[in-house]
Amino acid sequence: MEKSRTTIVTIEDNNKLRDEPFIVEAEMLFEKVLFFDDSLEGLKFVQKNIEKRIIILLDLSFPRNLPDGHEILKIIRDDSFLIPVIIWSGIDEDKTSFSDLINNKAFSYLKKGASNQEIIDEFMKAENFINTNIDIALEE
């Protein structure tokens, strides 16, 4: 199977994520898997590559001196609704903060305890969204 031209952008402050089995599988399926443990650095990369095929795996919690996932999602959505942003969190969101994720059109929500297969399945759904979304085709 040929690798997808899509890049997975992981914005997560836990460096141990790089060793997860689903990352190894993602590296076999997708052109690149990039890691940003600083939410601002991840956001800058996304903004500079807004026209490229990107799927974002976004943590919600970051150290106090950095914007959290809610803020990053909102900023990304100010630039584009065409990038699938999968929210990745170990925190149970309350109704208010969850509605914020819905209003900013998060592609999906995964708990950090999700299985490797569930995560890869979400990447593949996001890839399908990119491949079938007419707006993205027109933008390319």
Side-chain angles (χ1 to χ4, degrees):
M1 182 175 161
E2 188 176 316
K3 280 188 177 187
S4 165
R5 298 179 309 148
T6 302
T7 297
I8 303 292
V9 176
T10 303
I11 305 174
E12 153 72 70
D13 61 343
N14 182 351
N15 284 324
K16 292 180 183 178
L17 185 68
R18 295 172 194 239
D19 299 327
E20 291 290 327
F22 76 86
I23 294 295
V24 174
E25 188 169 347
E27 288 172 333
M28 291 188 289
L29 296 170
F30 296 93
E31 187 172 287
K32 293 179 192 167
V33 178
L34 302 175
F35 296 90
F36 296 91
D37 58 4
D38 179 309
S39 61
L40 282 175
E41 291 300 316
L43 176 62
K44 287 178 191 174
F45 175 84
V46 170
Q47 289 175 319
K48 286 181 184 175
N49 293 279
I50 201 86
E51 76 289 348
K52 300 212 171 125
R53 297 170 60 95
I54 297 172
I55 297 169
I56 301 170
L57 183 64
L58 177 63
D59 189 11
L60 289 179
S61 298
F62 286 89
R64 290 180 193 253
N65 61 330
L66 294 172
D68 68 12
H70 293 275
E71 295 170 87
I72 296 296
L73 177 61
K74 182 175 179 345
I75 294 167
I76 291 169
R77 289 300 176 238
D78 288 343
D79 294 333
S80 175
F81 281 97
L82 303 177
I83 297 173
V85 179
I86 301 168
I87 302 300
W88 166 258
S89 181
I91 300 169
D92 285 328
E93 294 296 306
D94 62 30
K95 290 181 182 177
T96 304
S97 61
F98 206 81
S99 66
D100 173 59
L101 299 174
I102 292 168
N103 291 338
N104 284 310
K105 302 203 183 325
F107 183 78
S108 62
Y109 181 91
L110 286 172
K111 288 201 151 282
K112 288 196 175 178
S115 72
N116 294 327
Q117 191 58 53
E118 288 172 312
I119 299 165
I120 293 298
D121 288 349
E122 284 306 307
F123 287 162
M124 298 312 291
K125 287 177 193 172
E127 172 75 2
N128 187 52
F129 170 82
I130 290 171
N131 290 335
T132 59
N133 190 310
I134 193 163
D135 293 333
I136 291 173
L138 292 173
E139 191 172 81
E140 286 182 351

Short mmCIF file of all heavy atoms in Angstrom, two decimals, residues 51-107:
data_model
loop_
_atom_site.label_atom_id
_atom_site.label_comp_id
_atom_site.label_asym_id
_atom_site.label_seq_id
_atom_site.Cartn_x
_atom_site.Cartn_y
_atom_site.Cartn_z
N GLU A 51 -2.32 25.14 3.54
CA GLU A 51 -2.82 24.63 2.25
C GLU A 51 -2.44 23.17 2.02
O GLU A 51 -2.89 22.56 1.07
CB GLU A 51 -2.28 25.50 1.11
CG GLU A 51 -0.84 25.26 0.75
CD GLU A 51 0.20 25.76 1.76
OE1 GLU A 51 -0.15 26.52 2.69
OE2 GLU A 51 1.37 25.36 1.64
N LYS A 52 -1.67 22.59 2.92
CA LYS A 52 -1.23 21.20 2.75
C LYS A 52 -2.22 20.22 3.36
O LYS A 52 -3.11 20.59 4.12
CB LYS A 52 0.15 21.03 3.37
CG LYS A 52 1.16 21.94 2.71
CD LYS A 52 2.51 21.35 2.69
CE LYS A 52 3.40 22.22 1.83
NZ LYS A 52 4.58 22.66 2.49
N ARG A 53 -2.04 18.98 3.04
CA ARG A 53 -2.88 17.89 3.57
C ARG A 53 -2.39 17.55 4.98
O ARG A 53 -1.35 16.92 5.13
CB ARG A 53 -2.81 16.69 2.66
CG ARG A 53 -3.35 16.95 1.26
CD ARG A 53 -3.05 15.81 0.32
NE ARG A 53 -3.65 14.59 0.79
CZ ARG A 53 -4.84 14.11 0.41
NH1 ARG A 53 -5.55 14.78 -0.46
NH2 ARG A 53 -5.30 12.99 0.88
N ILE A 54 -3.15 17.99 5.98
CA ILE A 54 -2.76 17.82 7.38
C ILE A 54 -3.92 17.25 8.18
O ILE A 54 -5.07 17.63 7.97
CB ILE A 54 -2.37 19.19 8.01
CG1 ILE A 54 -1.16 19.80 7.31
CG2 ILE A 54 -2.10 19.06 9.49
CD1 ILE A 54 -0.86 21.22 7.76
N ILE A 55 -3.59 16.34 9.09
CA ILE A 55 -4.52 15.88 10.12
C ILE A 55 -3.84 16.21 11.45
O ILE A 55 -2.66 15.90 11.64
CB ILE A 55 -4.77 14.36 10.04
CG1 ILE A 55 -5.45 14.00 8.72
CG2 ILE A 55 -5.62 13.89 11.23
CD1 ILE A 55 -5.50 12.51 8.43
N ILE A 56 -4.59 16.85 12.34
CA ILE A 56 -4.01 17.26 13.62
C ILE A 56 -4.57 16.39 14.74
O ILE A 56 -5.78 16.20 14.83
CB ILE A 56 -4.32 18.75 13.91
CG1 ILE A 56 -3.75 19.62 12.79
CG2 ILE A 56 -3.77 19.15 15.27
CD1 ILE A 56 -4.19 21.06 12.86
N LEU A 57 -3.67 15.88 15.57
CA LEU A 57 -4.02 15.23 16.83
C LEU A 57 -3.66 16.23 17.92
O LEU A 57 -2.47 16.51 18.14
CB LEU A 57 -3.26 13.92 16.99
CG LEU A 57 -3.59 13.09 18.23
CD1 LEU A 57 -5.04 12.61 18.20
CD2 LEU A 57 -2.65 11.90 18.35
N LEU A 58 -4.66 16.82 18.57
CA LEU A 58 -4.47 17.96 19.46
C LEU A 58 -4.85 17.63 20.89
O LEU A 58 -6.00 17.31 21.18
CB LEU A 58 -5.31 19.14 18.96
CG LEU A 58 -5.30 20.41 19.79
CD1 LEU A 58 -3.91 21.02 19.86
CD2 LEU A 58 -6.31 21.41 19.21
N ASP A 59 -3.88 17.75 21.78
CA ASP A 59 -4.14 17.62 23.21
C ASP A 59 -4.87 18.88 23.68
O ASP A 59 -4.73 19.95 23.07
CB ASP A 59 -2.81 17.46 23.95
CG ASP A 59 -2.97 17.10 25.41
OD1 ASP A 59 -4.08 16.76 25.84
OD2 ASP A 59 -1.96 17.17 26.14
N LEU A 60 -5.63 18.77 24.76
CA LEU A 60 -6.32 19.94 25.29
C LEU A 60 -5.54 20.66 26.38
O LEU A 60 -5.67 21.86 26.56
CB LEU A 60 -7.70 19.55 25.83
CG LEU A 60 -8.74 19.19 24.78
CD1 LEU A 60 -10.05 18.81 25.45
CD2 LEU A 60 -8.95 20.31 23.79
N SER A 61 -4.72 19.93 27.12
CA SER A 61 -4.03 20.51 28.27
C SER A 61 -2.56 20.78 27.96
O SER A 61 -1.86 19.90 27.47
CB SER A 61 -4.10 19.57 29.46
OG SER A 61 -5.44 19.36 29.83
N PHE A 62 -2.14 22.00 28.27
CA PHE A 62 -0.74 22.39 28.12
C PHE A 62 -0.35 23.18 29.36
O PHE A 62 -1.22 23.67 30.09
CB PHE A 62 -0.54 23.25 26.86
CG PHE A 62 -0.61 22.45 25.60
CD1 PHE A 62 -1.82 22.23 24.97
CD2 PHE A 62 0.53 21.87 25.08
CE1 PHE A 62 -1.89 21.46 23.82
CE2 PHE A 62 0.47 21.10 23.92
CZ PHE A 62 -0.74 20.89 23.29
N PRO A 63 0.95 23.33 29.61
CA PRO A 63 1.36 24.15 30.75
C PRO A 63 0.74 25.55 30.67
O PRO A 63 0.43 26.04 29.59
CB PRO A 63 2.89 24.22 30.60
CG PRO A 63 3.24 22.99 29.82
CD PRO A 63 2.08 22.76 28.89
N ARG A 64 0.58 26.18 31.81
CA ARG A 64 -0.11 27.47 31.91
C ARG A 64 0.42 28.56 30.99
O ARG A 64 -0.31 29.45 30.60
CB ARG A 64 -0.06 27.99 33.34
CG ARG A 64 -0.90 27.19 34.28
CD ARG A 64 -0.78 27.77 35.69
NE ARG A 64 -1.32 26.85 36.65
CZ ARG A 64 -2.46 27.03 37.29
NH1 ARG A 64 -3.17 28.09 37.07
NH2 ARG A 64 -2.88 26.13 38.15
N ASN A 65 1.68 28.51 30.66
CA ASN A 65 2.25 29.57 29.82
C ASN A 65 1.96 29.38 28.33
O ASN A 65 2.35 30.21 27.52
CB ASN A 65 3.76 29.69 30.06
CG ASN A 65 4.49 28.41 29.69
OD1 ASN A 65 3.97 27.31 29.79
ND2 ASN A 65 5.74 28.56 29.28
N LEU A 66 1.27 28.30 27.97
CA LEU A 66 0.95 28.03 26.56
C LEU A 66 -0.55 27.98 26.35
O LEU A 66 -1.29 27.59 27.25
CB LEU A 66 1.56 26.68 26.14
CG LEU A 66 3.07 26.60 26.12
CD1 LEU A 66 3.53 25.17 25.90
CD2 LEU A 66 3.63 27.50 25.02
N PRO A 67 -1.02 28.34 25.14
CA PRO A 67 -2.45 28.21 24.85
C PRO A 67 -2.87 26.75 24.93
O PRO A 67 -2.13 25.86 24.52
CB PRO A 67 -2.58 28.74 23.43
CG PRO A 67 -1.31 29.39 23.08
CD PRO A 67 -0.27 28.88 24.02
N ASP A 68 -4.08 26.51 25.45
CA ASP A 68 -4.57 25.14 25.52
C ASP A 68 -5.19 24.73 24.18
O ASP A 68 -5.27 25.52 23.24
CB ASP A 68 -5.53 24.96 26.68
CG ASP A 68 -6.85 25.69 26.52
OD1 ASP A 68 -7.16 26.19 25.43
OD2 ASP A 68 -7.60 25.76 27.51
N GLY A 69 -5.64 23.49 24.11
CA GLY A 69 -6.20 22.96 22.88
C GLY A 69 -7.44 23.70 22.41
O GLY A 69 -7.67 23.83 21.20
N HIS A 70 -8.26 24.18 23.33
CA HIS A 70 -9.45 24.96 22.96
C HIS A 70 -9.04 26.21 22.19
O HIS A 70 -9.63 26.53 21.15
CB HIS A 70 -10.25 25.36 24.20
CG HIS A 70 -10.88 24.21 24.91
ND1 HIS A 70 -12.10 23.70 24.53
CD2 HIS A 70 -10.46 23.48 25.97
CE1 HIS A 70 -12.41 22.70 25.35
NE2 HIS A 70 -11.43 22.55 26.22
N GLU A 71 -8.03 26.91 22.70
CA GLU A 71 -7.56 28.13 22.05
C GLU A 71 -6.93 27.83 20.69
O GLU A 71 -7.17 28.55 19.72
CB GLU A 71 -6.55 28.85 22.94
CG GLU A 71 -7.14 29.37 24.24
CD GLU A 71 -6.06 29.84 25.19
OE1 GLU A 71 -5.68 31.02 25.08
OE2 GLU A 71 -5.61 29.03 26.03
N ILE A 72 -6.13 26.77 20.64
CA ILE A 72 -5.46 26.40 19.38
C ILE A 72 -6.50 26.03 18.33
O ILE A 72 -6.42 26.46 17.18
CB ILE A 72 -4.46 25.24 19.61
CG1 ILE A 72 -3.32 25.69 20.55
CG2 ILE A 72 -3.92 24.70 18.29
CD1 ILE A 72 -2.45 26.81 20.02
N LEU A 73 -7.51 25.24 18.71
CA LEU A 73 -8.56 24.86 17.77
C LEU A 73 -9.27 26.10 17.23
O LEU A 73 -9.51 26.22 16.03
CB LEU A 73 -9.57 23.91 18.43
CG LEU A 73 -10.76 23.49 17.57
CD1 LEU A 73 -10.32 22.76 16.30
CD2 LEU A 73 -11.72 22.63 18.38
N LYS A 74 -9.61 27.03 18.10
CA LYS A 74 -10.30 28.25 17.66
C LYS A 74 -9.45 29.03 16.66
O LYS A 74 -9.95 29.49 15.63
CB LYS A 74 -10.66 29.14 18.85
CG LYS A 74 -11.41 30.38 18.41
CD LYS A 74 -11.87 31.22 19.54
CE LYS A 74 -12.60 32.47 19.10
NZ LYS A 74 -12.51 32.90 17.75
N ILE A 75 -8.17 29.16 16.92
CA ILE A 75 -7.28 29.89 16.01
C ILE A 75 -7.18 29.17 14.67
O ILE A 75 -7.23 29.80 13.60
CB ILE A 75 -5.89 30.09 16.64
CG1 ILE A 75 -6.01 31.01 17.87
CG2 ILE A 75 -4.90 30.68 15.63
CD1 ILE A 75 -4.78 31.02 18.76
N ILE A 76 -7.06 27.84 14.70
CA ILE A 76 -7.01 27.07 13.45
C ILE A 76 -8.30 27.28 12.67
O ILE A 76 -8.29 27.49 11.46
CB ILE A 76 -6.76 25.57 13.73
CG1 ILE A 76 -5.34 25.37 14.24
CG2 ILE A 76 -7.03 24.72 12.47
CD1 ILE A 76 -5.06 23.98 14.79
N ARG A 77 -9.44 27.27 13.36
CA ARG A 77 -10.73 27.45 12.69
C ARG A 77 -10.91 28.86 12.15
O ARG A 77 -11.64 29.06 11.19
CB ARG A 77 -11.88 27.07 13.62
CG ARG A 77 -11.96 25.58 13.86
CD ARG A 77 -12.17 24.85 12.54
NE ARG A 77 -12.17 23.42 12.72
CZ ARG A 77 -11.32 22.60 12.10
NH1 ARG A 77 -10.42 23.07 11.27
NH2 ARG A 77 -11.39 21.31 12.31
N ASP A 78 -10.24 29.82 12.71
CA ASP A 78 -10.26 31.17 12.14
C ASP A 78 -9.60 31.19 10.77
O ASP A 78 -9.92 32.02 9.93
CB ASP A 78 -9.57 32.17 13.06
CG ASP A 78 -10.38 32.48 14.31
OD1 ASP A 78 -11.60 32.20 14.34
OD2 ASP A 78 -9.78 33.01 15.28
N ASP A 79 -8.66 30.24 10.55
CA ASP A 79 -7.95 30.15 9.28
C ASP A 79 -8.57 29.16 8.30
O ASP A 79 -8.54 29.38 7.10
CB ASP A 79 -6.49 29.74 9.51
CG ASP A 79 -5.70 30.80 10.26
OD1 ASP A 79 -6.05 31.99 10.16
OD2 ASP A 79 -4.72 30.43 10.95
N SER A 80 -9.11 28.05 8.82
CA SER A 80 -9.64 27.00 7.92
C SER A 80 -10.54 26.03 8.67
O SER A 80 -10.25 25.66 9.81
CB SER A 80 -8.48 26.22 7.31
OG SER A 80 -8.96 25.14 6.53
N PHE A 81 -11.60 25.63 8.00
CA PHE A 81 -12.46 24.56 8.51
C PHE A 81 -12.16 23.24 7.80
O PHE A 81 -12.84 22.25 8.01
CB PHE A 81 -13.94 24.92 8.32
CG PHE A 81 -14.45 25.88 9.35
CD1 PHE A 81 -14.50 27.23 9.08
CD2 PHE A 81 -14.86 25.43 10.60
CE1 PHE A 81 -14.96 28.12 10.03
CE2 PHE A 81 -15.31 26.31 11.56
CZ PHE A 81 -15.36 27.66 11.27
N LEU A 82 -11.16 23.24 6.95
CA LEU A 82 -10.89 22.08 6.11
C LEU A 82 -9.87 21.10 6.70
O LEU A 82 -9.68 20.02 6.16
CB LEU A 82 -10.41 22.55 4.74
CG LEU A 82 -11.38 23.48 4.01
CD1 LEU A 82 -10.78 23.94 2.70
CD2 LEU A 82 -12.72 22.81 3.81
N ILE A 83 -9.22 21.48 7.78
CA ILE A 83 -8.23 20.60 8.40
C ILE A 83 -8.90 19.80 9.50
O ILE A 83 -9.45 20.37 10.45
CB ILE A 83 -7.07 21.43 9.00
CG1 ILE A 83 -6.33 22.17 7.89
CG2 ILE A 83 -6.11 20.52 9.77
CD1 ILE A 83 -5.29 23.14 8.40
N PRO A 84 -8.89 18.46 9.39
CA PRO A 84 -9.45 17.65 10.48
C PRO A 84 -8.60 17.76 11.74
O PRO A 84 -7.39 17.54 11.70
CB PRO A 84 -9.43 16.22 9.93
CG PRO A 84 -9.05 16.32 8.50
CD PRO A 84 -8.43 17.65 8.27
N VAL A 85 -9.25 18.15 12.83
CA VAL A 85 -8.56 18.26 14.12
C VAL A 85 -9.20 17.25 15.07
O VAL A 85 -10.36 17.38 15.45
CB VAL A 85 -8.67 19.69 14.71
CG1 VAL A 85 -7.96 19.75 16.06
CG2 VAL A 85 -8.10 20.71 13.75
N ILE A 86 -8.42 16.22 15.40
CA ILE A 86 -8.88 15.20 16.33
C ILE A 86 -8.42 15.62 17.72
O ILE A 86 -7.23 15.79 17.97
CB ILE A 86 -8.28 13.82 15.97
CG1 ILE A 86 -8.70 13.42 14.54
CG2 ILE A 86 -8.69 12.76 17.00
CD1 ILE A 86 -7.94 12.24 13.97
N ILE A 87 -9.38 15.80 18.61
CA ILE A 87 -9.06 16.19 19.97
C ILE A 87 -8.65 14.94 20.74
O ILE A 87 -9.29 13.89 20.64
CB ILE A 87 -10.28 16.86 20.66
CG1 ILE A 87 -10.72 18.09 19.87
CG2 ILE A 87 -9.96 17.19 22.11
CD1 ILE A 87 -9.67 19.18 19.74
N TRP A 88 -7.60 15.06 21.52
CA TRP A 88 -6.97 13.94 22.23
C TRP A 88 -6.82 14.37 23.68
O TRP A 88 -6.06 15.28 23.97
CB TRP A 88 -5.63 13.71 21.55
CG TRP A 88 -4.61 12.89 22.19
CD1 TRP A 88 -3.51 13.34 22.86
CD2 TRP A 88 -4.52 11.47 22.19
NE1 TRP A 88 -2.75 12.27 23.27
CE2 TRP A 88 -3.35 11.12 22.87
CE3 TRP A 88 -5.32 10.46 21.68
CZ2 TRP A 88 -2.96 9.81 23.05
CZ3 TRP A 88 -4.94 9.16 21.86
CH2 TRP A 88 -3.77 8.84 22.54
N SER A 89 -7.59 13.77 24.57
CA SER A 89 -7.55 14.26 25.95
C SER A 89 -7.80 13.15 26.96
O SER A 89 -8.56 12.23 26.71
CB SER A 89 -8.60 15.36 26.14
OG SER A 89 -8.56 15.86 27.44
N GLY A 90 -7.18 13.32 28.10
CA GLY A 90 -7.42 12.43 29.22
C GLY A 90 -8.39 13.05 30.22
O GLY A 90 -8.71 12.45 31.24
N ILE A 91 -8.86 14.24 29.92
CA ILE A 91 -9.75 14.97 30.82
C ILE A 91 -11.19 14.79 30.35
O ILE A 91 -11.48 14.89 29.16
CB ILE A 91 -9.41 16.47 30.81
CG1 ILE A 91 -7.97 16.69 31.28
CG2 ILE A 91 -10.38 17.26 31.66
CD1 ILE A 91 -7.48 18.10 31.06
N ASP A 92 -12.09 14.53 31.28
CA ASP A 92 -13.50 14.50 30.94
C ASP A 92 -13.97 15.94 30.81
O ASP A 92 -13.94 16.70 31.77
CB ASP A 92 -14.32 13.78 32.02
CG ASP A 92 -14.13 12.28 31.96
OD1 ASP A 92 -13.92 11.76 30.85
OD2 ASP A 92 -14.18 11.64 33.02
N GLU A 93 -14.37 16.31 29.63
CA GLU A 93 -14.82 17.68 29.38
C GLU A 93 -16.22 17.89 29.93
O GLU A 93 -17.07 17.00 29.84
CB GLU A 93 -14.81 17.96 27.87
CG GLU A 93 -13.42 17.95 27.27
CD GLU A 93 -12.54 19.05 27.82
OE1 GLU A 93 -12.93 20.22 27.77
OE2 GLU A 93 -11.45 18.71 28.33
N ASP A 94 -16.47 19.07 30.47
CA ASP A 94 -17.82 19.38 30.89
C ASP A 94 -18.62 19.86 29.67
O ASP A 94 -18.07 20.06 28.59
CB ASP A 94 -17.84 20.42 32.02
CG ASP A 94 -17.25 21.76 31.63
OD1 ASP A 94 -17.33 22.13 30.44
OD2 ASP A 94 -16.70 22.44 32.50
N LYS A 95 -19.92 20.01 29.83
CA LYS A 95 -20.77 20.36 28.70
C LYS A 95 -20.38 21.68 28.05
O LYS A 95 -20.44 21.83 26.84
CB LYS A 95 -22.24 20.39 29.13
CG LYS A 95 -22.79 19.03 29.42
CD LYS A 95 -24.23 19.09 29.83
CE LYS A 95 -24.72 17.69 30.16
NZ LYS A 95 -26.09 17.68 30.63
N THR A 96 -19.96 22.65 28.84
CA THR A 96 -19.59 23.95 28.29
C THR A 96 -18.37 23.85 27.40
O THR A 96 -18.37 24.33 26.27
CB THR A 96 -19.32 24.96 29.43
OG1 THR A 96 -20.46 25.03 30.26
CG2 THR A 96 -18.99 26.32 28.87
N SER A 97 -17.32 23.20 27.89
CA SER A 97 -16.11 23.11 27.09
C SER A 97 -16.28 22.15 25.92
O SER A 97 -15.68 22.35 24.88
CB SER A 97 -14.91 22.72 27.95
OG SER A 97 -15.11 21.47 28.54
N PHE A 98 -17.13 21.16 26.08
CA PHE A 98 -17.38 20.24 24.97
C PHE A 98 -18.14 20.96 23.86
O PHE A 98 -17.86 20.75 22.68
CB PHE A 98 -18.16 19.02 25.47
CG PHE A 98 -17.94 17.81 24.62
CD1 PHE A 98 -16.81 17.03 24.80
CD2 PHE A 98 -18.85 17.44 23.65
CE1 PHE A 98 -16.59 15.91 24.02
CE2 PHE A 98 -18.63 16.32 22.86
CZ PHE A 98 -17.50 15.56 23.05
N SER A 99 -19.08 21.84 24.23
CA SER A 99 -19.82 22.58 23.21
C SER A 99 -18.88 23.51 22.45
O SER A 99 -19.05 23.74 21.25
CB SER A 99 -20.98 23.36 23.82
OG SER A 99 -20.51 24.38 24.66
N ASP A 100 -17.86 24.01 23.11
CA ASP A 100 -16.84 24.82 22.46
C ASP A 100 -16.14 24.01 21.37
O ASP A 100 -15.90 24.52 20.27
CB ASP A 100 -15.84 25.30 23.52
CG ASP A 100 -14.66 26.01 22.92
OD1 ASP A 100 -14.87 27.02 22.23
OD2 ASP A 100 -13.52 25.55 23.14
N LEU A 101 -15.82 22.76 21.66
CA LEU A 101 -15.18 21.90 20.66
C LEU A 101 -16.11 21.65 19.48
O LEU A 101 -15.68 21.66 18.32
CB LEU A 101 -14.77 20.57 21.30
CG LEU A 101 -13.77 20.65 22.45
CD1 LEU A 101 -13.56 19.27 23.07
CD2 LEU A 101 -12.45 21.24 21.99
N ILE A 102 -17.39 21.45 19.76
CA ILE A 102 -18.37 21.23 18.69
C ILE A 102 -18.51 22.50 17.85
O ILE A 102 -18.51 22.45 16.62
CB ILE A 102 -19.71 20.79 19.28
CG1 ILE A 102 -19.57 19.39 19.89
CG2 ILE A 102 -20.82 20.81 18.21
CD1 ILE A 102 -20.74 18.96 20.76
N ASN A 103 -18.66 23.65 18.51
CA ASN A 103 -18.82 24.92 17.79
C ASN A 103 -17.63 25.23 16.90
O ASN A 103 -17.78 25.85 15.85
CB ASN A 103 -19.05 26.07 18.77
CG ASN A 103 -20.40 25.98 19.44
OD1 ASN A 103 -21.32 25.35 18.94
ND2 ASN A 103 -20.52 26.62 20.59
N ASN A 104 -16.45 24.80 17.32
CA ASN A 104 -15.25 25.02 16.51
C ASN A 104 -14.94 23.83 15.60
O ASN A 104 -13.84 23.74 15.06
CB ASN A 104 -14.06 25.36 17.40
CG ASN A 104 -14.14 26.78 17.89
OD1 ASN A 104 -14.33 27.70 17.11
ND2 ASN A 104 -14.01 26.97 19.19
N LYS A 105 -15.92 22.97 15.45
CA LYS A 105 -15.88 21.87 14.48
C LYS A 105 -14.67 20.95 14.62
O LYS A 105 -13.97 20.66 13.64
CB LYS A 105 -16.02 22.40 13.07
CG LYS A 105 -17.30 23.19 12.88
CD LYS A 105 -17.73 23.24 11.47
CE LYS A 105 -18.95 24.05 11.20
NZ LYS A 105 -20.01 24.11 12.10
N ALA A 106 -14.44 20.49 15.85
CA ALA A 106 -13.44 19.44 16.03
C ALA A 106 -13.91 18.23 15.21
O ALA A 106 -15.10 17.93 15.16
CB ALA A 106 -13.31 19.06 17.50
N PHE A 107 -12.99 17.58 14.55
CA PHE A 107 -13.36 16.43 13.71
C PHE A 107 -13.88 15.28 14.55
O PHE A 107 -14.87 14.65 14.23
CB PHE A 107 -12.15 15.99 12.87
CG PHE A 107 -12.46 14.86 11.93
CD1 PHE A 107 -13.13 15.10 10.75
CD2 PHE A 107 -12.10 13.57 12.25
CE1 PHE A 107 -13.44 14.07 9.89
CE2 PHE A 107 -12.39 12.52 11.40
CZ PHE A 107 -13.07 12.77 10.21
#
